[in-house]
Amino acid sequence: MPNITINREYLLKLIGKKIEEKNLEEIIYKLGFEVERSDLNELTVEITSNRPDLFSAVGLARAIRNFQHINKTFNYSLHKKNLSSALTISVDKTAEKSGLFISGFVIKNILLTDVSLADIFNFSEKLSDTLGRMRKKMSIGIHNLDVIDKDIVFILSEDEKFIPLRDNSQRLYSDVVDNTEKGKLYRTALPKSGLYPILKDSKGTLALVPIINSERTKVTPSTKNLFIEVTGTSSDLVEKITNILATTFIDIGGDIFGIDVKYTKKTKRYPDFDTNNILIPLLQIELELGIEIGFNNIISLANKAGYEAALLGKKIRFKVPSYRADIINEQDIIEDICIAYGYDYISPIPVPSILPGALSKNHELFEGLSYAMVGAGFTESMSTYLTNEQRNFLMMNLDIPQKTDFIKLKDAKSSNLSIARTWLIPSILNVISISKHDKMPQKVFELDMVFKIYDNKPIESYHLAGICTNSVSNFNDIKSIVESILSVSGFSFSIKETSHKSFIDGRCAAIIIDGIELGIMGELHPIVLSNFGIEEPSIGFEIELL
Amino acid sequence: MHKYELLVLNILKKHSSITFSELEKKSGLGKDELLWSIENLSNLSLLDLTYKKNNSITLSQEGMSYSKSMLPEDEIINTLQSGKEIKASQLLLDKERIGMQWCIKKGLIIIKNGILSLTKKGEEYSVPSAESIFLSTLHKKSNSTESFSSKELSYISEFSSRKLIEVKDKNIIDIIKISKKGAEAIIEESENSIDQIDRELIVSKSWESKKFKKYDVSIPVQQQILSMRHPLRLLLNDVKNTFSRLGFTEISGPIIEPSFWVFDSLFVPQDHPAREAQDTFHLSNPSKLPINDKEHLKSIMKSHTDSWKIKWSQEEAESAVLRTQMTSVSVHYIREFMKKYLSGEEVALPQKLFTVGRVFRNENLDYKHLTDFYQCDGIIIGKNLTMANLFDTLTNFYKSFGVKIRFKPAYFPFVEPGAEIFAQIGENGNWLEIGGSGIIRREVTGISRRKINVLAWGLGIERMLLINNDGIKSVVEPYNSGLSWLRTRKLR
């Protein structure tokens, strides 16, 4: 979940009313977010990924204002003076064919400060990193409107030169991609064709999308007029982000003007503030939340959640704000009403039970076996299911099977994890290997899952295994333990001599349950013990339960 | 009680007050054995001791060497008296030079032209001298200054000034008396009392005429090695039993799944970062797993395409992963339930189900992070189930563990409304997030929530262990500790 850091004074100014430190944190918590860190100047808030509209001080302030019924804001529209397009972007066939979309808008007469501009830049970075999936799906560019033409082209271009932002010399696109920090970070978002997505006007390149803008269109706090463009591979997301940004600039106090985007067959006007109305019966809201709201209160609750709402018979008409990218249907609005009502104010109501509860069928057997093992002097261990070939096979004096009949992990972050364990004994030997200074005898058991592949299907099964490490322990001791445990478990079993490289030859036996070889026991081979750094004789068994 | 101790007590029983040396004589014990017995009995408050101050004499290394032969001046006189000539320049050893100095000091010799010659006193001097003889007795004798004659005392002061001996003040045992407790103890410790009870004693009933010897309950003993259940397993059982008691039935399901059941069927969009290898364990063997429920596959594909507006790939849905949340088990049951419900089969409502098992995250294993850990998932399938019902169920569950909880709005793709569960650590303590919950979206169930809705939650178990068990400091401990840890865990 994204963390956003915002200037406290700026946030309070945007809210427009003094709010005590503690109250502010509590309001943010009630909205569903957490203040991770806070000091005199700044606070860092964790915002859930479904609310990109709140990744800025401006958006968060709007939500808090609505929640606190301070100067509520619901509707956004284009500047009345000029409804015609302020600028045109022509999407070249090359860009259109490779599935790229663009939208944007123009902001005029805005008063920026260092703080508000920093908030905007952080906002657009956060959006491109998270929803934009590190600019692969969507990216944002903010330009100085006064230095660009009204006709812009979005095109896939060959390698050419331009002066990138915060640079002082002409550089090739390829040079920027290969040799700058931003280039290296976002190069995977470039199309595979080897061409460069470029925004340009008659004076040259505006931006190498989605890597970096040009120095020419640089924005400073003194910039009064802005051109904001949003590009990406998802038209839905590009349009949603455009609205989120546009409403944010309107809140800061700019005049907003639309732009035209020309594709080969159609022209679209952005931003499009038309939004959905969703009708929900009041009764449905009350039934799902388990609370009584009433027609008198529902509109006020809707407003608190940021919705303009109206009664329509027994239904409520909610107008979805144009900055809400996450509203899919009525379920999302019901949650917002729930948050506005306050989770703390919902009185718990019991659900009747029609049946008595029950534990899984295995539970009784597993618990019985475990307590029998404890009775035999074994202490229970629990280990991670993930391990590596080294411990599971090689340290056990076994070869890694040619036919990979075990689960293999792909790209594990921990270098010592590569497979899911196929048996328990290595896990238990690991416990004993880190118990060198503990009293003898050391008896440890584990009853848990192991994994194999059989007939291309993953098999998840439960095993029981125990190890006893003691200066005097031999085959007969382990046989005695296994036979006693199996007897009380009600399994019919027999023992047959076998050989297994983890055990000493001639001191190892197979455990046969109901005619199937389901287990092994014996004296562990000195090679195995040495591999685990165990210096005392050890005996062990392992049985497949189900 | 040791036989020496018993012997001492028995003597004291007859002589209410006795000196150490008398006791030594009467007991026939060596001094060390007697001292050991007296010390033990006194520690048990069975004796009353009075002490007296005494000078004790210990020989220095130099004194020790003279005591074995004679004083160095004696050796020089002895040589001279035998008629041999000694030149002062021949006396090179420390001992010889010291001897010469003392011969001069005592007026036994004079030196003329570098040659030692006896004085009259020297000629009359008998070797070994009385001092030498006395010194050698100090070596053997026990040493109370009281018993020395005035002559001997003057020798002692000479030896002390020559640093041949050291005279120290010391508390020594004077009078020994039996205490009241000692008198009682001796009755119990009579020949007739029982030490180790055995079969013979019980069967023959011979214990009836005897006393049982007492054990000192304060004496430290070696600790028993315990075989213990694992604290995490005990908590898991607690969790299972609690849900069962609240009317829930345990269900289970696979760990290794196609992404479909872990993500797609839970309405997690295919480009959601949580699905990437960065967070989720993908498998190279098997790399793909089939989605057998074709009908469900189609409907999930449709709801994804409609809602998330991105291309939905079956290949991505088939990618094999280790489950990242237990809700994948719940969603199988929701699907099975819906098949029955939609086919018109009679189903009892509400259905309360829970599952406990391991989930996996591709983390760097360290002292804070686990790659596999436990989660407990629960669902209630029914009609008109509400957030109020959800809060009640979870509040009750945690109440039975003595944990106070609070709900906070939260976002999970498959529930709406969603709520995170926070538990308070101790009285007025911090709030720790311990789970997520909500009402399952209709995109997951495939039916209007006015007909059927499903409450769901997923609870972290290791964090509960930290809250519940003071002795456990980190979530990693239960999985990577040796026997000393496993054998000594507190039960709560």
Side-chain angles (χ1 to χ4, degrees):
Chain A
M1 276 190 275
N3 276 338
I4 63 155
T5 298
I6 49 189
N7 182 295
R8 176 185 294 277
E9 201 184 327
Y10 182 48
L11 178 72
L12 289 174
K13 195 180 142 211
L14 288 164
I15 294 169
K17 195 177 166 186
K18 182 135 181 61
I19 295 176
E20 293 293 323
E21 160 85 37
K22 232 189 135 195
N23 281 344
L24 186 63
E25 283 200 21
E26 185 64 17
I27 292 165
I28 291 173
Y29 182 92
K30 284 183 170 165
L31 280 167
F33 315 108
E34 267 182 281
V35 174
E36 296 281 310
R37 193 187 58 83
S38 139
D39 61 32
L40 275 178
N41 301 317
E42 285 180 341
L43 69 169
T44 301
V45 187
E46 190 183 66
I47 304 285
T48 52
S49 59
N50 63 323
R51 293 299 301 270
D53 55 305
L54 306 181
F55 292 179
S56 76
V58 179
L60 189 60
R62 182 199 300 132
I64 292 172
R65 281 202 314 273
N66 287 333
F67 199 75
Q68 297 295 98
H69 301 290
I70 308 163
N71 192 16
K72 289 178 270 194
T73 320
F74 305 127
N75 286 319
Y76 292 91
S77 55
L78 294 175
H79 193 257
K80 287 186 186 73
K81 276 188 229 161
N82 194 346
L83 292 174
S84 67
S85 164
L87 185 150
T88 304
I89 303 172
S90 305
V91 181
D92 188 79
K93 271 184 210 153
T94 50
E96 194 177 349
K97 269 188 191 160
S98 67
L100 291 174
F101 299 92
I102 186 164
S103 77
F105 55 90
V106 158
I107 291 283
K108 289 182 180 170
N109 307 317
I110 195 162
L111 274 173
L112 290 170
T113 62
D114 285 329
V115 173
S116 63
L117 191 61
D119 187 55
I120 287 291
F121 282 141
N122 288 339
F123 186 28
S124 76
E125 286 283 315
K126 205 55 99 179
L127 291 170
S128 326
D129 283 354
T130 56
L131 271 79
R133 309 283 188 248
M134 296 303 283
R135 304 193 186 178
K136 272 182 211 154
K137 195 176 176 186
M138 183 277 299
S139 129
I140 298 161
I142 303 172
H143 306 269
N144 179 358
L145 179 73
D146 299 337
V147 298
I148 53 184
D149 282 351
K150 287 191 175 174
D151 286 308
I152 294 169
V153 182
F154 186 30
I155 187 169
L156 290 194
S157 155
E158 300 285 338
D159 207 358
E160 278 176 30
K161 281 187 171 179
F162 80 124
I163 304 177
L165 192 60
R166 285 182 289 277
D167 215 324
N168 45 28
S169 59
Q170 294 269 351
R171 292 176 77 163
L172 282 169
Y173 303 147
S174 55
D175 180 29
V176 173
V177 169
D178 293 338
N179 302 316
T180 65
E181 198 190 318
K182 287 253 191 273
K184 285 173 193 162
L185 194 57
Y186 298 115
R187 62 200 298 172
T188 53
L190 289 168
K192 293 194 178 78
S193 61
L195 297 174
Y196 300 90
I198 296 300
L199 276 177
K200 61 185 201 179
D201 64 3
S202 61
K203 295 169 203 155
T205 305
L206 263 59
L208 167 56
V209 178
I211 313 282
I212 198 162
N213 286 350
S214 66
E215 176 69 10
R216 166 163 65 106
T217 66
K218 185 161 105 179
V219 172
T220 67
S222 59
T223 311
K224 292 280 171 292
N225 304 311
L226 305 170
F227 162 53
I228 287 94
E229 40 87 6
V230 183
T231 55
T233 55
S234 158
S235 64
D236 177 61
L237 183 64
V238 164
E239 286 167 14
K240 280 173 172 166
I241 297 298
T242 304
N243 279 355
I244 288 175
L245 288 166
T247 52
T248 303
F249 277 105
I250 292 171
D251 276 4
I252 300 173
D255 298 335
I256 188 158
F257 298 88
I259 64 159
D260 281 340
V261 175
K262 276 190 187 163
Y263 292 93
T264 359
K265 286 187 179 155
K266 58 183 176 187
T267 298
K268 287 187 124 184
R269 173 69 61 86
Y270 292 108
D272 179 1
F273 287 136
D274 276 356
T275 57
N276 281 341
N277 286 322
I278 295 178
L279 287 173
I280 315 172
L282 175 64
L283 188 64
Q284 188 186 347
I285 300 173
E286 291 180 325
L287 276 181
E288 290 197 6
L289 301 184
I291 53 176
E292 275 178 43
I293 300 169
F295 288 101
N296 294 333
N297 300 322
I298 186 66
I299 302 298
S300 158
L301 269 187
N303 292 167
K304 195 175 172 186
Y307 295 89
E308 192 179 26
L311 293 175
L312 233 70
K314 287 182 175 177
K315 292 182 175 176
I316 317 297
R317 190 186 63 202
F318 292 89
K319 189 168 161 34
V320 178
S322 40
Y323 53 81
R324 287 298 293 270
D326 59 314
I327 304 297
I328 297 170
N329 51 39
E330 82 290 348
Q331 300 170 108
D332 305 284
I333 295 176
I334 291 172
E335 175 180 69
D336 284 333
I337 296 301
C338 191
I339 294 169
Y341 184 86
Y343 281 30
D344 288 342
Y345 300 108
I346 296 178
S347 308
I349 300 169
V351 187
S353 290
I354 52 155
L355 294 166
L359 297 177
S360 78
K361 275 180 269 168
N362 307 330
H363 184 79
E364 212 174 323
L365 172 66
F366 290 178
E367 279 301 286
L369 284 169
S370 297
Y371 277 109
M373 290 303 293
V374 169
F378 286 76
T379 286
E380 185 177 25
S381 68
M382 291 175 87
S383 308
T384 162
Y385 291 175
L386 304 180
T387 182
N388 51 53
E389 284 102 331
Q390 175 76 12
R391 185 194 285 175
N392 195 77
F393 302 114
L394 301 177
M395 284 170 77
M396 294 305 298
N397 198 27
L398 303 174
D399 298 324
I400 297 170
Q402 288 296 310
K403 186 170 162 269
T404 27
D405 58 351
F406 52 91
I407 305 291
K408 284 183 89 167
L409 306 174
K410 193 160 75 181
D411 304 327
K413 274 187 203 160
S414 272
S415 56
N416 57 351
L417 299 179
S418 55
I419 68 166
R421 66 180 177 189
T422 66
W423 59 330
L424 300 175
I425 285 180
S427 297
I428 302 176
L429 285 176
N430 183 56
V431 173
I432 291 176
S433 77
I434 58 171
S435 304
K436 275 210 187 74
H437 303 296
D438 296 318
K439 284 179 191 150
M440 298 282 169
Q442 299 186 343
K443 295 164 125 187
V444 182
F445 84 97
E446 200 155 322
L447 193 169
D448 221 322
M449 299 189 86
V450 303
F451 305 85
K452 282 207 170 127
I453 294 176
Y454 180 75
D455 201 11
N456 290 324
K457 285 196 196 87
I459 308 291
E460 306 175 8
S461 49
Y462 281 91
H463 280 201
L464 169 67
I467 301 276
C468 171
T469 296
N470 196 9
S471 56
V472 282
S473 52
N474 59 41
F475 179 81
N476 289 342
D477 298 325
I478 197 66
K479 189 179 177 207
S480 150
I481 291 164
V482 169
E483 291 191 345
S484 311
I485 297 288
L486 287 177
S487 299
V488 297
S489 317
F491 291 116
S492 67
F493 65 95
S494 60
I495 306 291
K496 192 183 83 180
E497 195 189 327
T498 190
S499 73
H500 186 291
K501 284 173 75 184
S502 302
F503 297 89
I504 298 170
D505 235 15
R507 300 184 181 195
C508 172
I511 303 159
I512 295 148
I513 298 174
D514 294 328
I516 308 163
E517 202 174 303
L518 285 179
I520 188 107
M521 65 176 165
E523 294 183 21
L524 284 154
H525 201 287
I527 293 176
V528 173
L529 296 178
S530 299
N531 286 341
F532 281 90
I534 298 169
E535 291 168 355
E536 300 286 341
S538 303
I539 50 179
F541 76 94
E542 178 148 355
I543 304 167
E544 185 179 333
L545 298 173
L546 42 100
Chain B
M1 200 176 284
H2 192 266
K3 59 181 179 184
Y4 292 165
E5 295 166 28
L6 204 54
L7 177 64
V8 169
L9 273 187
N10 273 316
I11 294 167
L12 287 168
K13 200 179 142 197
K14 288 173 209 142
H15 309 266
S16 60
S17 164
I18 196 168
T19 64
F20 185 85
S21 52
E22 280 173 314
L23 186 56
E24 199 174 359
K25 259 183 247 163
K26 284 202 158 46
S27 67
L29 295 173
K31 194 178 171 193
D32 289 341
E33 291 142 357
L34 188 56
L35 277 172
W36 176 83
S37 305
I38 290 174
E39 194 181 330
N40 285 351
L41 292 167
S42 155
N43 284 340
L44 295 169
S45 318
L46 302 181
L47 299 182
D48 291 328
L49 303 179
T50 48
Y51 295 88
K52 61 177 179 186
K53 277 217 162 115
N54 207 340
N55 296 322
S56 77
I57 297 164
T58 39
L59 291 166
S60 70
Q61 214 178 344
E62 191 185 353
M64 189 73 81
S65 79
Y66 301 159
S67 77
K68 286 172 187 159
S69 53
M70 59 180 82
L71 289 166
E73 58 266 35
D74 284 24
E75 289 193 4
I76 287 176
I77 301 298
N78 196 24
T79 310
L80 290 173
Q81 283 178 350
S82 70
K84 286 181 186 158
E85 191 188 79
I86 302 175
K87 288 181 181 164
S89 57
Q90 288 173 321
L91 300 177
L92 299 170
L93 296 174
D94 279 352
K95 190 180 161 188
E96 293 167 338
R97 301 202 69 80
I98 292 167
M100 182 177 75
Q101 294 299 328
W102 280 99
C103 285
I104 297 165
K105 220 175 198 174
K106 289 182 175 176
L108 302 174
I109 60 167
I110 51 165
I111 300 172
K112 267 187 201 159
N113 303 326
I115 295 170
L116 278 59
S117 59
L118 288 165
T119 59
K120 189 158 187 285
K121 196 177 172 190
E123 281 168 2
E124 288 165 3
Y125 190 82
S126 71
V127 179
S129 62
E131 281 123 302
S132 276
I133 293 164
F134 179 64
L135 184 63
S136 65
T137 62
L138 283 182
H139 169 57
K140 291 164 200 151
K141 236 178 156 184
S142 80
N143 30 30
S144 160
T145 49
E146 270 178 11
S147 49
F148 296 120
S149 66
S150 59
K151 188 98 186 164
E152 285 169 337
L153 287 172
S154 76
Y155 294 157
I156 284 172
S157 89
E158 182 200 317
F159 294 159
S160 175
S161 72
R162 288 175 68 173
K163 300 208 168 126
L164 303 182
I165 59 169
E166 199 180 353
V167 182
K168 268 189 205 160
D169 271 353
K170 190 180 168 188
N171 277 329
I172 64 159
I173 296 167
D174 184 16
I175 307 291
I176 305 154
K177 284 183 189 169
I178 191 163
S179 71
K180 197 180 161 206
K181 204 176 158 193
E184 286 164 11
I186 198 153
I187 299 166
E188 285 172 15
E189 286 287 347
S190 66
E191 289 288 306
N192 228 4
S193 65
I194 300 162
D195 189 351
Q196 179 61 51
I197 186 164
D198 58 21
R199 182 175 186 277
E200 162 63 21
L201 270 168
I202 296 166
V203 174
S204 68
K205 301 205 160 129
S206 61
W207 62 269
E208 287 174 334
S209 60
K210 295 181 180 178
K211 290 250 177 200
F212 290 97
K213 285 182 188 172
K214 273 192 171 176
Y215 277 83
D216 180 354
V217 297
S218 66
I219 287 174
V221 294
Q222 200 175 20
Q223 296 303 293
Q224 177 73 36
I225 298 179
L226 296 181
S227 14
M228 298 285 283
R229 294 303 301 278
H230 196 285
L232 182 55
R233 183 73 68 199
L234 294 176
L235 176 61
L236 288 168
N237 286 344
D238 254 5
V239 167
K240 289 181 187 184
N241 288 325
T242 304
F243 270 119
S244 166
R245 209 171 56 238
L246 293 170
F248 285 77
T249 298
E250 187 178 3
I251 56 174
S252 59
I255 286 175
I256 299 151
E257 290 267 30
S259 293
F260 181 79
W261 287 107
V262 180
F263 297 117
D264 298 283
S265 65
L266 283 167
F267 204 51
V268 180
Q270 290 203 327
D271 67 346
H272 196 283
R275 300 176 66 133
E276 286 171 19
Q278 194 66 12
D279 292 308
T280 299
F281 278 114
H282 288 255
L283 305 180
S284 63
N285 187 40
S287 59
K288 272 173 73 175
L289 286 168
I291 302 155
N292 299 319
D293 192 340
K294 297 293 174 216
E295 198 188 331
H296 195 43
L297 183 135
K298 262 191 213 159
S299 78
I300 291 294
M301 178 158 84
K302 187 175 180 322
S303 79
H304 272 251
T305 319
D306 289 352
S307 303
W308 297 123
K309 301 191 166 70
I310 52 170
K311 215 171 77 199
W312 191 82
S313 140
Q314 185 170 335
E315 199 180 333
E316 162 62 29
E318 285 174 345
S319 167
V321 296
L322 300 179
R323 70 180 171 210
T324 59
Q325 51 197 359
M326 290 304 288
T327 316
S328 62
V329 175
S330 302
V331 81
H332 275 288
Y333 276 79
I334 293 173
R335 169 64 185 150
E336 289 311 307
F337 170 86
M338 286 315 302
K339 277 203 271 188
K340 280 188 206 163
Y341 180 82
L342 292 173
S343 71
E345 200 178 308
E346 196 153 317
V347 284
L349 292 174
Q351 291 210 346
K352 298 179 166 186
L353 306 166
F354 80 98
T355 180
V356 179
R358 289 216 196 161
V359 299
F360 299 79
R361 302 283 160 85
N362 194 358
E363 291 274 6
N364 260 317
L365 216 48
D366 61 28
Y367 72 101
K368 253 165 81 181
H369 294 95
L370 290 165
T371 50
D372 43 331
F373 49 94
Y374 280 94
Q375 239 178 36
C376 173
D377 230 68
I379 48 173
I380 306 179
I381 306 173
K383 282 182 186 294
N384 296 328
L385 295 172
T386 66
M387 285 300 272
N389 293 146
L390 177 75
F391 289 0
D392 181 76
T393 308
L394 291 171
T395 306
N396 272 334
F397 170 76
Y398 282 108
K399 201 184 270 172
S400 65
F401 287 87
V403 175
K404 191 177 154 195
I405 60 167
R406 184 184 180 186
F407 297 92
K408 170 185 159 293
Y411 173 69
F412 308 99
F414 48 93
V415 291
E416 205 75 50
E420 265 172 346
I421 307 153
F422 279 72
Q424 194 165 30
I425 316 290
E427 295 251 329
N428 309 316
N430 287 329
W431 295 87
L432 180 71
E433 192 235 311
I434 51 167
S437 64
I439 305 179
I440 297 272
R441 292 191 76 106
R442 61 176 154 84
E443 287 83 352
V444 174
T445 60
I447 191 166
S448 157
R449 300 213 298 209
R450 272 171 288 180
K451 288 184 178 144
I452 290 290
N453 59 5
V454 182
L455 308 179
W457 54 88
L459 316 174
I461 301 294
E462 280 79 1
R463 282 193 167 184
M464 244 172 108
L465 191 63
L466 295 191
I467 298 172
N468 234 23
N469 195 318
D470 280 346
I472 299 172
K473 300 289 174 230
S474 113
V475 292
V476 182
E477 264 181 19
Y479 296 96
N480 68 359
S481 297
L483 270 169
S484 59
W485 191 90
L486 293 167
R487 282 167 172 169
T488 58
R489 275 320 87 202
K490 303 264 186 303
L491 294 171
R492 278 190 85 87

